[in-house]
PDB file of all heavy atoms in Angstrom:
ATOM      1  N   ASN A 128      -9.936  -5.205  38.462  1.00 97.00           N
ATOM      2  CA  ASN A 128     -11.396  -5.241  38.504  1.00 97.00           C
ATOM      3  C   ASN A 128     -12.078  -3.977  37.942  1.00 97.00           C
ATOM      4  O   ASN A 128     -13.310  -3.783  38.180  1.00 97.00           O
ATOM      5  CB  ASN A 128     -11.914  -5.481  39.926  1.00 97.00           C
ATOM      6  CG  ASN A 128     -11.628  -6.904  40.309  1.00 97.00           C
ATOM      7  OD1 ASN A 128     -10.587  -7.118  41.030  1.00 97.00           O
ATOM      8  ND2 ASN A 128     -12.453  -7.848  39.878  1.00 97.00           N
ATOM      9  N   GLN A 129     -11.303  -3.135  37.296  1.00 97.00           N
ATOM     10  CA  GLN A 129     -11.886  -1.909  36.822  1.00 97.00           C
ATOM     11  C   GLN A 129     -11.315  -1.546  35.434  1.00 97.00           C
ATOM     12  O   GLN A 129     -10.109  -1.604  35.228  1.00 97.00           O
ATOM     13  CB  GLN A 129     -11.590  -0.732  37.815  1.00 97.00           C
ATOM     14  CG  GLN A 129     -12.364  -0.808  39.091  1.00 97.00           C
ATOM     15  CD  GLN A 129     -12.110   0.453  39.888  1.00 97.00           C
ATOM     16  OE1 GLN A 129     -10.915   0.840  39.977  1.00 97.00           O
ATOM     17  NE2 GLN A 129     -13.133   0.978  40.516  1.00 97.00           N
ATOM     18  N   LEU A 130     -12.221  -1.031  34.613  1.00 98.00           N
ATOM     19  CA  LEU A 130     -11.926  -0.477  33.329  1.00 98.00           C
ATOM     20  C   LEU A 130     -12.204   0.967  33.260  1.00 98.00           C
ATOM     21  O   LEU A 130     -13.162   1.422  34.002  1.00 98.00           O
ATOM     22  CB  LEU A 130     -12.612  -1.178  32.182  1.00 98.00           C
ATOM     23  CG  LEU A 130     -12.228  -2.547  31.762  1.00 98.00           C
ATOM     24  CD1 LEU A 130     -13.318  -3.220  30.885  1.00 98.00           C
ATOM     25  CD2 LEU A 130     -10.867  -2.543  31.006  1.00 98.00           C
ATOM     26  N   LYS A 131     -11.464   1.700  32.570  1.00 96.00           N
ATOM     27  CA  LYS A 131     -11.733   3.212  32.424  1.00 96.00           C
ATOM     28  C   LYS A 131     -11.981   3.474  30.938  1.00 96.00           C
ATOM     29  O   LYS A 131     -11.246   2.901  30.063  1.00 96.00           O
ATOM     30  CB  LYS A 131     -10.557   3.913  32.884  1.00 96.00           C
ATOM     31  CG  LYS A 131     -10.928   5.279  33.413  1.00 96.00           C
ATOM     32  CD  LYS A 131      -9.834   5.978  34.220  1.00 96.00           C
ATOM     33  CE  LYS A 131     -10.378   7.314  34.671  1.00 96.00           C
ATOM     34  NZ  LYS A 131      -9.492   8.379  34.345  1.00 96.00           N
ATOM     35  N   LEU A 132     -12.971   4.264  30.583  1.00 96.00           N
ATOM     36  CA  LEU A 132     -13.099   4.676  29.221  1.00 96.00           C
ATOM     37  C   LEU A 132     -12.257   5.949  28.937  1.00 96.00           C
ATOM     38  O   LEU A 132     -12.290   6.935  29.724  1.00 96.00           O
ATOM     39  CB  LEU A 132     -14.548   4.951  28.855  1.00 96.00           C
ATOM     40  CG  LEU A 132     -15.553   3.795  28.822  1.00 96.00           C
ATOM     41  CD1 LEU A 132     -16.828   4.247  28.178  1.00 96.00           C
ATOM     42  CD2 LEU A 132     -14.944   2.637  28.085  1.00 96.00           C
ATOM     43  N   GLN A 133     -11.496   5.854  27.859  1.00 93.00           N
ATOM     44  CA  GLN A 133     -10.633   7.001  27.474  1.00 93.00           C
ATOM     45  C   GLN A 133     -11.534   8.226  27.286  1.00 93.00           C
ATOM     46  O   GLN A 133     -12.646   8.178  26.845  1.00 93.00           O
ATOM     47  CB  GLN A 133      -9.977   6.647  26.164  1.00 93.00           C
ATOM     48  CG  GLN A 133      -8.715   7.457  25.860  1.00 93.00           C
ATOM     49  CD  GLN A 133      -8.113   6.924  24.555  1.00 93.00           C
ATOM     50  OE1 GLN A 133      -7.797   5.815  24.402  1.00 93.00           O
ATOM     51  NE2 GLN A 133      -8.043   7.844  23.633  1.00 93.00           N
ATOM     52  N   ASP A 134     -10.917   9.422  27.569  1.00 87.00           N
ATOM     53  CA  ASP A 134     -11.659  10.688  27.451  1.00 87.00           C
ATOM     54  C   ASP A 134     -12.892  10.775  28.238  1.00 87.00           C
ATOM     55  O   ASP A 134     -13.858  11.463  27.732  1.00 87.00           O
ATOM     56  CB  ASP A 134     -11.928  11.035  25.967  1.00 87.00           C
ATOM     57  CG  ASP A 134     -10.657  10.983  25.159  1.00 87.00           C
ATOM     58  OD1 ASP A 134      -9.591  11.291  25.613  1.00 87.00           O
ATOM     59  OD2 ASP A 134     -10.707  10.514  23.971  1.00 87.00           O
ATOM     60  N   SER A 135     -12.951  10.010  29.332  1.00 88.00           N
ATOM     61  CA  SER A 135     -14.176  10.085  30.105  1.00 88.00           C
ATOM     62  C   SER A 135     -13.786   9.686  31.469  1.00 88.00           C
ATOM     63  O   SER A 135     -12.822   8.960  31.713  1.00 88.00           O
ATOM     64  CB  SER A 135     -15.273   9.231  29.518  1.00 88.00           C
ATOM     65  OG  SER A 135     -15.773   8.289  30.393  1.00 88.00           O
ATOM     66  N   GLU A 136     -14.593   9.986  32.445  1.00 84.00           N
ATOM     67  CA  GLU A 136     -14.315   9.593  33.816  1.00 84.00           C
ATOM     68  C   GLU A 136     -14.999   8.282  34.106  1.00 84.00           C
ATOM     69  O   GLU A 136     -14.849   7.766  35.306  1.00 84.00           O
ATOM     70  CB  GLU A 136     -14.811  10.716  34.846  1.00 84.00           C
ATOM     71  CG  GLU A 136     -13.973  12.001  34.774  1.00 84.00           C
ATOM     72  CD  GLU A 136     -12.505  11.696  34.994  1.00 84.00           C
ATOM     73  OE1 GLU A 136     -12.056  11.085  35.987  1.00 84.00           O
ATOM     74  OE2 GLU A 136     -11.719  12.068  34.046  1.00 84.00           O
ATOM     75  N   GLN A 137     -15.681   7.676  33.169  1.00 93.00           N
ATOM     76  CA  GLN A 137     -16.481   6.514  33.451  1.00 93.00           C
ATOM     77  C   GLN A 137     -15.649   5.346  33.781  1.00 93.00           C
ATOM     78  O   GLN A 137     -14.726   4.949  33.093  1.00 93.00           O
ATOM     79  CB  GLN A 137     -17.341   6.160  32.238  1.00 93.00           C
ATOM     80  CG  GLN A 137     -18.364   5.070  32.593  1.00 93.00           C
ATOM     81  CD  GLN A 137     -19.367   4.943  31.473  1.00 93.00           C
ATOM     82  OE1 GLN A 137     -19.487   5.686  30.518  1.00 93.00           O
ATOM     83  NE2 GLN A 137     -20.279   3.933  31.641  1.00 93.00           N
ATOM     84  N   ILE A 138     -15.964   4.749  34.948  1.00 96.00           N
ATOM     85  CA  ILE A 138     -15.300   3.508  35.387  1.00 96.00           C
ATOM     86  C   ILE A 138     -16.254   2.366  35.312  1.00 96.00           C
ATOM     87  O   ILE A 138     -17.471   2.506  35.629  1.00 96.00           O
ATOM     88  CB  ILE A 138     -14.867   3.656  36.898  1.00 96.00           C
ATOM     89  CG1 ILE A 138     -13.865   4.788  37.111  1.00 96.00           C
ATOM     90  CG2 ILE A 138     -14.448   2.340  37.512  1.00 96.00           C
ATOM     91  CD1 ILE A 138     -12.410   4.387  36.910  1.00 96.00           C
ATOM     92  N   ILE A 139     -15.752   1.246  34.825  1.00 97.00           N
ATOM     93  CA  ILE A 139     -16.659   0.051  34.712  1.00 97.00           C
ATOM     94  C   ILE A 139     -16.113  -0.986  35.650  1.00 97.00           C
ATOM     95  O   ILE A 139     -14.876  -1.429  35.490  1.00 97.00           O
ATOM     96  CB  ILE A 139     -16.679  -0.510  33.232  1.00 97.00           C
ATOM     97  CG1 ILE A 139     -17.396   0.524  32.401  1.00 97.00           C
ATOM     98  CG2 ILE A 139     -17.452  -1.852  33.128  1.00 97.00           C
ATOM     99  CD1 ILE A 139     -16.625   0.752  31.087  1.00 97.00           C
ATOM    100  N   ASN A 140     -16.879  -1.368  36.671  1.00 97.00           N
ATOM    101  CA  ASN A 140     -16.405  -2.389  37.603  1.00 97.00           C
ATOM    102  C   ASN A 140     -16.777  -3.745  37.083  1.00 97.00           C
ATOM    103  O   ASN A 140     -17.893  -3.867  36.562  1.00 97.00           O
ATOM    104  CB  ASN A 140     -17.076  -2.105  38.961  1.00 97.00           C
ATOM    105  CG  ASN A 140     -16.643  -0.804  39.569  1.00 97.00           C
ATOM    106  OD1 ASN A 140     -15.442  -0.590  39.792  1.00 97.00           O
ATOM    107  ND2 ASN A 140     -17.599   0.117  39.852  1.00 97.00           N
ATOM    108  N   PHE A 141     -15.945  -4.659  37.182  1.00 98.00           N
ATOM    109  CA  PHE A 141     -16.242  -5.973  36.720  1.00 98.00           C
ATOM    110  C   PHE A 141     -15.709  -7.083  37.652  1.00 98.00           C
ATOM    111  O   PHE A 141     -14.695  -6.865  38.435  1.00 98.00           O
ATOM    112  CB  PHE A 141     -15.682  -6.219  35.275  1.00 98.00           C
ATOM    113  CG  PHE A 141     -14.177  -6.194  35.233  1.00 98.00           C
ATOM    114  CD1 PHE A 141     -13.359  -7.274  35.533  1.00 98.00           C
ATOM    115  CD2 PHE A 141     -13.537  -5.049  34.826  1.00 98.00           C
ATOM    116  CE1 PHE A 141     -11.994  -7.225  35.407  1.00 98.00           C
ATOM    117  CE2 PHE A 141     -12.133  -4.936  34.732  1.00 98.00           C
ATOM    118  CZ  PHE A 141     -11.364  -6.079  35.040  1.00 98.00           C
ATOM    119  N   ASP A 142     -16.381  -8.171  37.621  1.00 97.00           N
ATOM    120  CA  ASP A 142     -15.882  -9.380  38.330  1.00 97.00           C
ATOM    121  C   ASP A 142     -14.891 -10.215  37.437  1.00 97.00           C
ATOM    122  O   ASP A 142     -13.921 -10.677  37.860  1.00 97.00           O
ATOM    123  CB  ASP A 142     -16.997 -10.238  38.849  1.00 97.00           C
ATOM    124  CG  ASP A 142     -17.942  -9.474  39.718  1.00 97.00           C
ATOM    125  OD1 ASP A 142     -17.484  -8.924  40.803  1.00 97.00           O
ATOM    126  OD2 ASP A 142     -19.099  -9.279  39.402  1.00 97.00           O
ATOM    127  N   LYS A 143     -15.328 -10.247  36.170  1.00 98.00           N
ATOM    128  CA  LYS A 143     -14.524 -10.925  35.225  1.00 98.00           C
ATOM    129  C   LYS A 143     -14.501 -10.009  33.965  1.00 98.00           C
ATOM    130  O   LYS A 143     -15.518  -9.392  33.627  1.00 98.00           O
ATOM    131  CB  LYS A 143     -14.960 -12.331  34.858  1.00 98.00           C
ATOM    132  CG  LYS A 143     -14.889 -13.306  35.945  1.00 98.00           C
ATOM    133  CD  LYS A 143     -13.459 -13.929  36.010  1.00 98.00           C
ATOM    134  CE  LYS A 143     -13.139 -15.066  36.855  1.00 98.00           C
ATOM    135  NZ  LYS A 143     -13.761 -15.298  38.124  1.00 98.00           N
ATOM    136  N   ALA A 144     -13.411 -10.017  33.191  1.00 98.00           N
ATOM    137  CA  ALA A 144     -13.303  -9.298  31.920  1.00 98.00           C
ATOM    138  C   ALA A 144     -12.786 -10.300  30.820  1.00 98.00           C
ATOM    139  O   ALA A 144     -11.921 -11.159  31.126  1.00 98.00           O
ATOM    140  CB  ALA A 144     -12.411  -8.096  32.023  1.00 98.00           C
ATOM    141  N   ILE A 145     -13.289 -10.051  29.645  1.00 98.00           N
ATOM    142  CA  ILE A 145     -12.740 -10.846  28.495  1.00 98.00           C
ATOM    143  C   ILE A 145     -12.220  -9.800  27.541  1.00 98.00           C
ATOM    144  O   ILE A 145     -12.903  -8.831  26.995  1.00 98.00           O
ATOM    145  CB  ILE A 145     -13.807 -11.647  27.755  1.00 98.00           C
ATOM    146  CG1 ILE A 145     -14.373 -12.684  28.797  1.00 98.00           C
ATOM    147  CG2 ILE A 145     -13.271 -12.324  26.590  1.00 98.00           C
ATOM    148  CD1 ILE A 145     -15.560 -13.495  28.301  1.00 98.00           C
ATOM    149  N   ILE A 146     -10.899  -9.962  27.192  1.00 98.00           N
ATOM    150  CA  ILE A 146     -10.280  -9.010  26.260  1.00 98.00           C
ATOM    151  C   ILE A 146     -10.500  -9.608  24.869  1.00 98.00           C
ATOM    152  O   ILE A 146     -10.042 -10.763  24.542  1.00 98.00           O
ATOM    153  CB  ILE A 146      -8.771  -8.770  26.475  1.00 98.00           C
ATOM    154  CG1 ILE A 146      -8.586  -8.206  27.979  1.00 98.00           C
ATOM    155  CG2 ILE A 146      -8.178  -7.830  25.478  1.00 98.00           C
ATOM    156  CD1 ILE A 146      -7.043  -8.245  28.331  1.00 98.00           C
ATOM    157  N   ALA A 147     -11.077  -8.831  23.992  1.00 98.00           N
ATOM    158  CA  ALA A 147     -11.244  -9.281  22.581  1.00 98.00           C
ATOM    159  C   ALA A 147     -11.028  -8.086  21.698  1.00 98.00           C
ATOM    160  O   ALA A 147     -11.842  -7.751  20.811  1.00 98.00           O
ATOM    161  CB  ALA A 147     -12.660  -9.821  22.362  1.00 98.00           C
ATOM    162  N   CYS A 148      -9.853  -7.430  21.912  1.00 98.00           N
ATOM    163  CA  CYS A 148      -9.669  -6.171  21.265  1.00 98.00           C
ATOM    164  C   CYS A 148      -8.971  -6.359  19.827  1.00 98.00           C
ATOM    165  O   CYS A 148      -8.755  -5.320  19.158  1.00 98.00           O
ATOM    166  CB  CYS A 148      -8.820  -5.243  22.112  1.00 98.00           C
ATOM    167  SG  CYS A 148      -7.122  -5.956  22.453  1.00 98.00           S
ATOM    168  N   GLY A 149      -8.697  -7.568  19.398  1.00 98.00           N
ATOM    169  CA  GLY A 149      -8.357  -7.771  17.995  1.00 98.00           C
ATOM    170  C   GLY A 149      -7.037  -7.315  17.569  1.00 98.00           C
ATOM    171  O   GLY A 149      -6.079  -7.199  18.460  1.00 98.00           O
ATOM    172  N   SER A 150      -6.906  -7.067  16.295  1.00 98.00           N
ATOM    173  CA  SER A 150      -5.585  -6.651  15.698  1.00 98.00           C
ATOM    174  C   SER A 150      -5.798  -5.557  14.637  1.00 98.00           C
ATOM    175  O   SER A 150      -6.924  -5.238  14.319  1.00 98.00           O
ATOM    176  CB  SER A 150      -5.007  -7.881  14.974  1.00 98.00           C
ATOM    177  OG  SER A 150      -5.844  -8.328  13.909  1.00 98.00           O
ATOM    178  N   ARG A 151      -4.673  -4.991  14.244  1.00 97.00           N
ATOM    179  CA  ARG A 151      -4.733  -3.955  13.218  1.00 97.00           C
ATOM    180  C   ARG A 151      -3.632  -4.173  12.162  1.00 97.00           C
ATOM    181  O   ARG A 151      -2.752  -5.031  12.424  1.00 97.00           O
ATOM    182  CB  ARG A 151      -4.544  -2.567  13.888  1.00 97.00           C
ATOM    183  CG  ARG A 151      -3.264  -2.416  14.621  1.00 97.00           C
ATOM    184  CD  ARG A 151      -3.110  -1.013  15.275  1.00 97.00           C
ATOM    185  NE  ARG A 151      -1.914  -0.822  15.919  1.00 97.00           N
ATOM    186  CZ  ARG A 151      -1.494  -1.162  17.139  1.00 97.00           C
ATOM    187  NH1 ARG A 151      -2.497  -1.709  17.936  1.00 97.00           N
ATOM    188  NH2 ARG A 151      -0.358  -0.814  17.607  1.00 97.00           N
TER     189      ARG A 151
END
Side-chain angles (χ1 to χ4, degrees):
N128 288 96
Q129 285 185 320
L130 284 166
K131 204 165 181 236
L132 289 195
Q133 199 179 303
D134 306 324
S135 125
E136 289 308 303
Q137 189 170 354
I138 296 273
I139 295 136
N140 295 303
F141 62 83
D142 301 301
K143 290 279 186 330
I145 300 175
I146 303 172
C148 61
S150 64
R151 61 181 184 272

